[in-house]
Amino acid sequence: MTAPESDAVTAPGSGTMPAAGAGEARAELGPQAGAGGRARRRRRVAGAVTGALAGGAAVALAAVVGLGGCSATSASAHAKGPARLSVSDGGYVPQPLLTDMAAAYVTVVNSGGAPAELTSVTTPLAAHVTLHTTQGTTMRQVPSLTIPAGGRLALGTGGDHLMLENLTHRPAVGDTVPLTLHFTHATPATVTVTVPVRPTTYQPKD
């Protein structure tokens, strides 16, 4: 009895046997199979194998292109070098409402090709400074804040910010406050800036 026909064909070397058995192959090539039937089978098998091989080639080409893209990206990042940080103008400390705590806002710019982390801040105005992020109406202390490659970290009201705690004194509007920012994976590792004390209701311009 002739086995049921099957269109399943696998590319050579794939390790999978065709669905049709040897008996079918003999039946197709026997005298009962006409020349037209054999020709149709060959075309179907050739088309399936060609498609499988073409698919494999496409996958291989995609892999090569993907590797090339990764190499280009890596080379581009390497060409830009490590994180390079600077603090832009516009930072300030709002005049604190309390005698022992104040906020501070600065913008850190990363012109390098790798991200960096702001890990701590020191200032003679406070015993210690904590880093905070705000999500919705919830403020949360975090161990570090990221400055993305080619991007910036903007500390401001309603978002990421610094909290100066246990103040040595309550600063007045017009005073200046030195802040030293400490980073990891960056050049330089520390940046010191002096920011003014602004009125409590101060809103920076865009």
Side-chain angles (χ1 to χ4, degrees):
M1 179 181 295
T2 302
E5 294 184 1
S6 172
D7 293 338
V9 178
T10 317
S14 66
T16 304
M17 295 297 293
E24 180 183 354
R26 286 194 297 271
E28 289 179 356
L29 297 177
Q32 294 82 359
R38 289 196 297 272
R40 284 194 297 273
R41 300 252 179 202
R42 290 193 194 99
R43 285 195 296 269
R44 189 164 60 195
V45 171
V49 171
T50 301
L53 292 175
V59 171
L61 178 60
V64 171
V65 171
L67 289 174
C70 290
S71 299
T73 301
S74 299
S76 175
H78 181 71
K80 291 183 179 180
R84 298 194 63 85
L85 305 179
S86 61
V87 178
S88 64
D89 295 334
Y92 69 101
V93 170
Q95 185 181 32
L97 296 174
L98 304 176
T99 58
D100 62 343
M101 184 177 296
Y105 309 122
V106 296
T107 297
V108 184
V109 179
N110 183 358
S111 59
E117 299 288 326
L118 172 63
T119 56
S120 63
V121 177
T122 54
T123 176
L125 178 61
H128 59 275
V129 180
T130 53
L131 314 180
H132 292 262
T133 186
T134 303
Q135 298 175 342
T137 58
T138 303
M139 184 177 73
R140 180 169 58 91
Q141 183 176 337
V142 293
S144 64
L145 294 169
T146 302
I147 308 95
R152 61 179 56 206
L153 169 66
L155 305 182
T157 56
D160 299 338
H161 60 279
L162 308 175
M163 291 300 298
L164 284 57
E165 302 176 14
N166 297 332
L167 302 181
T168 57
H169 65 281
R170 185 184 180 190
V173 173
D175 289 350
T176 57
V177 179
L179 301 171
T180 300
L181 287 69
H182 303 262
F183 305 97
T184 57
H185 314 298
T187 301
T190 61
V191 176
T192 298
V193 295
T194 299
V195 299
V197 176
R198 303 290 191 183
T200 303
T201 57
Y202 173 76
Q203 293 293 329
K205 297 179 180 179
D206 294 335

